Amino acid sequence: MTVRRCKKDPGAKLDYDLALGAGFENDTIASVTWIVPDGVVDEGQDTPDTHTARIWISGGTLGVEYPITGRLTTVGGRILDRTIYLQIAENVKVVTKDPDSTEDFTIKWGRWLASKGDLIDVASWEPGEGIAVEDDSYTNRTATVWLSGGSADSVIDVRGRIETTGGRINYATLRVQLRSQ
């Protein structure tokens, strides 16, 4: 049994792949059965090629780890169980801001998106109470927000959400520490 560990935001809808791997060059996937525990949602499954099985997962509770098991049966009759352990956790970037200024902050999604061959299609921001979004923008690989306001010596979360051209939804939280300068 092969085991892999991944982190996922509770609001994210992401795909996870299981591959046959070394020693299976002359064999291919005939069928896949997924075992998905309560607490996360199976959003769909596919087999993008003859050696890879994919499942799309959403949901989950912060701090809980969920085992997602794919039972791969090959054309040659071999059966392999592969498990992905999804730890549900926020993607947090801590930043510091002066409450009297308007400052920009960027989340870089490039490495992850490049690994998926994907691009940002839509980005949005949800500010916590006491801080304002003055403007925002995004490129194919980054999302930027301009923030103003806030009270000195407080911490406010600003939640960023991206949707990709490949159907993925992911989140990042800017944990804004407000300090007068």
Side-chain angles (χ1 to χ4, degrees):
M1 175 184 283
T2 300
V3 174
R4 196 169 103 212
R5 296 197 182 287
C6 300
K7 289 187 178 181
K8 186 188 107 39
D9 186 278
K13 175 186 165 191
L14 301 174
D15 58 317
Y16 300 91
D17 291 350
L18 295 176
L20 286 179
F24 291 88
E25 294 82 2
N26 298 320
D27 208 349
T28 59
I29 296 172
S31 66
V32 181
T33 302
W34 291 95
I35 302 165
V36 179
D38 290 341
V40 291
V41 178
D42 175 351
E43 294 281 354
Q45 308 165 10
D46 63 84
T47 308
D49 61 53
T50 59
H51 286 87
T52 307
R54 177 175 293 153
I55 188 166
W56 290 79
I57 298 290
S58 67
T61 301
L62 277 174
V64 176
E65 187 172 76
Y66 297 92
I68 313 294
T69 300
R71 175 163 283 172
L72 289 71
T73 303
T74 70
V75 171
R78 294 187 272 185
I79 298 172
L80 301 116
D81 285 343
R82 308 257 197 241
T83 300
I84 302 165
Y85 285 93
L86 291 182
Q87 180 186 8
I88 307 302
E90 286 184 308
N91 175 12
V92 177
K93 178 181 179 181
V94 178
V95 297
T96 303
K97 179 190 157 331
D98 186 312
D100 297 325
S101 68
T102 299
E103 299 179 36
D104 63 305
F105 302 96
T106 299
I107 300 291
K108 297 177 182 178
W109 298 94
R111 189 177 313 154
W112 171 69
L113 288 169
S115 75
K116 297 291 186 178
D118 208 353
L119 304 170
I120 295 174
D121 189 38
V122 176
S124 60
W125 297 90
E126 182 180 323
E129 190 174 332
I131 201 164
V133 172
E134 295 298 330
D135 198 5
D136 65 271
S137 67
Y138 63 92
T139 68
N140 289 334
R141 302 285 167 105
T142 65
T144 301
V145 63
W146 283 261
L147 301 174
S148 67
S151 300
D153 302 319
S154 64
V155 177
I156 301 173
D157 285 350
V158 178
R159 193 124 158 94
R161 179 181 196 267
I162 63 166
E163 297 177 33
T164 72
T165 57
R168 295 168 180 87
I169 298 170
N170 211 346
Y171 290 84
T173 299
L174 289 173
R175 184 145 296 142
V176 184
Q177 298 178 339
L178 293 137
R179 306 277 186 259
S180 293
Q181 297 188 12

